[in-house]
Amino acid sequence: SIVKPALRNIESFDSLFASFSIQEKQNIIRGATNFISMTQFLVVNTSSSLEFQTRLLRRHEIEWHRKFTLAFACLVFLFIGAPLGAIIRKGGLGLPTVISTLLFILWYIISLTGEKFVRESVMTGFQGMWMSSFVLIIAGIFLTYQATNDSAILNLDTYMNWIREKTGLKKGILLDKKA
């Protein structure tokens, strides 16, 4: 190896170290200790600097995606709200308000969760920030499809008839029991 020609007469590192005086040994140990502490400081400093730069990059990435996801969320809520109004058809504010509020809360929770995943580098910026929009676009497409087919997905009688059909109960049996 490269070190071998320089240490021709010395067989090992221990014998080289033993050949120095006590003062020289102390200087070598002190120098090695200083070199180790400087290297350790450099590694810790570089690690914290890299961590800070990553957090800064994630924050910028979150804000960049947020500008687009908020605009897209408005379109998604349009595709949810318009079919909801067409499906419910009662004209009241109770049920549509409750459903739209629940969908907004769902969107908000998914949005905050995605943002947290991006901040912690669990997901990429695109995945975390667009997750809520992708989840609700499925609901928007479903509701739009149901509204165009005049489906009664929010009609309680539809579900009651389905339950009666599956259980074998007839409508008259329930009325007889009430009387």
Side-chain angles (χ1 to χ4, degrees):
S1 90
I2 298 171
V3 178
K4 204 168 193 178
L7 301 174
R8 285 188 184 142
N9 296 332
I10 302 169
E11 294 183 11
S12 70
F13 176 77
D14 291 336
S15 61
L16 173 65
F17 188 71
S19 68
F20 293 119
S21 69
I22 294 177
Q23 184 65 32
E24 291 172 328
K25 287 179 185 178
Q26 288 175 346
N27 288 339
I28 291 172
I29 292 173
R30 192 175 309 114
T33 306
N34 288 339
F35 182 73
I36 289 172
S37 64
M38 285 188 317
T39 305
Q40 183 180 14
F41 174 76
L42 181 66
V43 168
V44 169
N45 191 26
T46 304
S47 173
S48 65
S49 175
L50 185 63
E51 227 174 86
F52 174 75
Q53 293 294 331
T54 302
R55 277 196 316 264
L56 189 64
L57 178 67
R58 292 292 184 194
R59 279 192 0 221
H60 285 292
E61 197 174 5
I62 286 169
E63 291 304 319
W64 189 82
H65 281 286
R66 186 186 321 268
K67 290 173 184 4
F68 299 109
T69 57
L70 288 177
F72 187 73
C74 292
L75 292 174
V76 169
F77 281 117
L78 175 75
F79 282 110
I80 290 174
L84 261 178
I87 290 171
I88 295 175
R89 294 184 191 156
K90 291 183 179 178
L93 287 175
L95 188 59
T97 303
V98 169
I99 292 173
S100 61
T101 303
L102 289 176
L103 286 174
F104 176 76
I105 290 171
L106 175 70
W107 174 82
Y108 189 70
I109 289 171
I110 294 172
S111 178
L112 285 180
T113 303
E115 184 178 333
K116 183 177 181 188
F117 284 164
V118 173
R119 257 188 277 120
E120 294 175 358
S121 298
V122 175
M123 291 181 152
T124 65
F126 179 80
Q127 291 172 331
M129 295 305 292
W130 286 89
M131 182 171 51
S132 59
S133 296
F134 288 142
V135 168
L136 284 187
I137 194 70
I138 295 169
I141 291 169
F142 174 75
L143 287 172
T144 303
Y145 175 77
Q146 294 296 328
T148 56
N149 291 332
D150 289 329
S151 152
I153 60 169
L154 296 177
N155 189 355
L156 189 58
D157 291 335
T158 305
Y159 297 110
M160 291 303 291
N161 290 336
W162 182 80
I163 290 172
R164 282 189 201 110
E165 191 178 291
K166 295 298 178 190
T167 59
L169 295 174
K170 294 182 182 176
K171 193 172 186 178
I173 294 173
L174 293 175
L175 290 176
D176 290 339
K177 287 184 179 180
K178 283 185 179 180

